[in-house]
Structure formats: C-alpha cells, structure tokens
Amino acid sequence: SQQGEEDPQALSIQEGENATMNCSYKTSINNLQWYRQNSGRGLVHLILIRSNEREKHSGRLRVTLDTSKKSSSLLITASRAADTASYFCATVNTGGFKTIFGAGTRLFVKA
Amino acid sequence: DTEVTQTPKHLVMGMTNKKSLKCEQHMGHRAMYWYKQKAKKPPELMFVYSYEKLSINESVPSRFSPECPNSSLLNLHLHALQPEDSALYLCASSQDAGAPNSPLHFGNGTRLTVT
C-alpha cells in the first residue's frame, strides 16, 4: 500500500527554471527520502531528511519536512534537461524495516 | 551502473513456466528487498530479508517465492504467474533493515512479461 501522495503528478518546465514537488504521508515516520528514477531504470537515492530535521540541502536539491502537516517538498534549482525523470518520496516506518514510496512526480525539463 | 546487479534484464514467460530472477550485491549490505513496479506507478514492497532471514512478506501470492542463499544473493522464484504479474521487478539492498537511516540501493530491474 502506498504511504502517501505526491503533487503534481507531472511537471513540465524550461531548463534553468526551478522545480518543486510535494509529498504528503499518513503515519509516523523515522525519516523521509527522495529518489529519482530514469525511464526503465532503477531508483537512485537523492537525499534523506530525519524526522527531527526541517530542511536539508544537497547541491541543487533542497528538501523541507513539516512533521506537523505530514508533508515534504523537494526543490530542484536551475533545472537541466538531464533532470528529466520521475521523483518519488519514500517514508521509513519507525521500525525501520519498510520503505514505502509515494505516487511520484514525473518531471520533464525542456532544453 | 549500479552496485546491485539483476539478471536477466528482460524475461518473457508463459503462465505454466517456472523461472527465477536473480539479484547480487557486494556492498556488504545485510538487508535485501524485492519491489514490484507497474508502469507509471511507484514501487510496491514485496519482501524484506534481514541477515538472510525473511522479515517481511507483504501478503504476496505464493506463486512468488523468495530465497536468500547468502548475504550477497537474492532470488525470486516464479511459478504459474498471471498476465497481471507483468511488471518491472526491482531488487534493492541497504546496510541494515533495522537501521532506518540507511537508504536503499536499487538494481536496474528485470522487465517481466507473462504471456
């Protein structure tokens, strides 16, 4: 079963613009992670934010977490055509054994 | 290239066939996972192995049978599948299933078609 929802489901932007994706979840979490998936490939881990953190940066990525609203956002700044992919948030339950993925956002960056 | 290797990359099988998917990692990870992914959907957790023991079975039908021969290998045995089982099957590993801040490392998957 899916943990939560992401929006938008699809996003099309021009190269150089910023892309923001949102994720909501339903249960208590230990951490929240973001993954990227290129078409027909496996998922690649991008960034992890712990439940006691509010914001985290990694290169052009910025992730926020609001545990009171059970939501997170991923911002990709200065997007590139190579950023075209599906992006999934994933939550890890407090027991740590299950990583459950949200519905995903398909990002298309036009050159 | 990923550090988790899955074979075969593509598999076509009939509903009466028996086949196996294989996954291998050499990162010293002690947790391994099988996920199923349908087109334009997120991966769905099927099984979790921790220290070579099955920890989680997400109510997966018995026509899917996982096996973990050692800490580096994970198999998924398939028998009497249905066409709706056609999907991308992804293997993943992590340092320790009990360590919640350990991200997953995925292989590139096996694209399975059941005819």
Side-chain angles (χ1 to χ4, degrees):
Chain A
S1 61
Q2 294 180 29
Q3 168 68 296
E5 300 299 320
E6 289 180 60
D7 77 271
Q9 291 186 352
L11 180 61
S12 181
I13 59 174
Q14 292 290 141
E15 211 168 24
E17 294 180 341
N18 296 341
T20 300
M21 290 160 261
N22 302 297
C23 167
S24 62
Y25 57 93
K26 298 175 182 173
T27 62
S28 297
I29 61 170
N30 187 290
N31 65 62
L32 187 142
Q33 303 172 33
W34 286 88
Y35 288 80
R36 185 184 80 189
Q37 184 179 33
N38 290 87
S39 181
R41 311 276 288 180
L43 284 78
V44 175
H45 179 258
L46 295 176
I47 194 166
L48 180 153
I49 185 166
R50 293 181 171 81
S51 59
N52 61 355
E53 297 177 311
R54 292 297 165 258
E55 186 171 315
K56 200 162 183 180
H57 298 253
S58 177
R60 293 185 296 114
L61 305 180
R62 173 178 169 254
V63 170
T64 63
L65 179 64
D66 187 334
T67 53
S68 66
K69 295 181 180 178
K70 291 187 166 56
S71 68
S72 174
S73 68
L74 171 67
L75 168 67
I76 303 175
T77 60
S79 63
R80 305 165 182 169
D83 295 328
T84 294
S86 291
Y87 291 82
F88 295 94
C89 69
T91 53
V92 179
N93 67 330
T94 50
F97 279 78
K98 290 190 182 184
T99 300
I100 304 297
F101 290 85
T105 293
R106 282 176 285 129
L107 174 66
F108 182 65
V109 181
K110 293 176 280 187
Chain B
D1 288 342
T2 72
E3 296 168 313
V4 177
T5 303
Q6 290 188 244
T7 56
K9 292 182 180 179
H10 301 275
L11 178 62
V12 179
M13 61 184 290
M15 289 188 284
T16 59
N17 291 159
K18 285 185 180 181
K19 296 286 184 183
S20 296
L21 309 185
K22 297 187 182 302
C23 175
E24 189 169 1
Q25 59 88 15
H26 293 290
M27 293 178 283
H29 289 173
R30 303 315 300 264
M32 297 186 77
Y33 309 75
W34 281 115
Y35 281 83
K36 172 183 175 180
Q37 187 179 28
K38 303 282 272 186
K40 297 185 180 180
K41 296 292 186 181
E44 294 181 5
L45 183 63
M46 300 175 72
F47 302 104
V48 179
Y49 272 84
S50 178
Y51 290 86
E52 302 159 43
K53 287 187 169 31
L54 183 64
S55 297
I56 293 175
N57 176 342
E58 290 285 271
S59 303
V60 179
S62 59
R63 58 186 185 270
F64 295 91
S65 176
E67 179 196 17
C68 189
N70 60 55
S71 60
S72 299
L73 294 174
L74 186 66
N75 299 321
L76 186 63
H77 303 297
L78 314 172
H79 173 56
L81 294 193
Q82 304 297 309
E84 58 265 28
D85 295 322
S86 298
L88 181 68
Y89 287 85
L90 292 163
C91 173
S93 69
S94 69
Q95 195 166 12
D96 185 341
N101 296 319
S102 176
L104 300 180
H105 296 251
F106 281 86
N108 282 325
T110 294
R111 175 74 60 189
L112 174 68
T113 303
V114 182
T115 61

